[in-house]
Amino acid sequence: MIKKLKIVIAVCIVTLLAACSDPVQEEIISYVNEDLPEIAKLEEVVIGKYDSVTGENYKDDEILYDALTNEIIPDYSQLIDKLEAIQLSDKELRDIHEDYIEAANQQYSAFTKMLAAIKNQDYALIEEVNGILSQSRKDMRDYQYDLKEYAEENDVEIKE
């Protein structure tokens, strides 16, 4: 009887331990579900504003300059502040998040350089800005792949 009781208690303990999730899993889930959605929405809005005044939507330098000065740069600065406010305890997740911050800072730098390029009509600087923007987009994709891979390594599925 005591032996059966010990076995039942052991099974209950294993079941309870299995029901508790891993702290890394919990942090990944919190990061993806609570920290990132607001930032992702803000980024989508800012990039949408940028796209609305560049490329095939480009009308003239004044419109681009005004959009950068009054909307894009201030909003993107706010996005970076939100990114930097996120505190993560897991080192690997923190390193992945730092990659996102670095890519966002690259993009912000490109936006501010674009202002100088427009103001000075510096076409070489515009080419440099386009290169920075291209690199930051690549770095953003790398961040997303790294986050997904790390989540999968920790048995967390990220749905898009």
Side-chain angles (χ1 to χ4, degrees), residues 30-93:
S30 174
Y31 177 68
V32 171
N33 291 337
E34 295 170 23
D35 295 330
L36 292 182
E38 179 184 358
I39 292 167
K41 285 179 189 173
L42 183 56
E43 186 162 23
E44 186 178 328
V45 168
V46 173
I47 299 305
K49 287 177 185 177
Y50 182 76
D51 289 345
S52 75
V53 293
T54 59
E56 64 185 40
N57 297 315
Y58 174 82
K59 302 249 186 304
D60 61 44
D61 285 351
E62 185 178 342
I63 291 172
L64 175 55
Y65 190 90
D66 287 345
L68 285 165
T69 303
N70 300 321
E71 298 178 74
I72 296 165
I73 290 173
D75 289 352
Y76 213 78
S77 177
Q78 189 178 62
L79 179 142
I80 290 171
D81 289 344
K82 290 180 185 300
L83 281 174
E84 290 178 344
I86 295 172
Q87 300 294 313
L88 300 166
S89 58
D90 180 69
K91 182 179 179 344
E92 215 167 324
L93 184 57

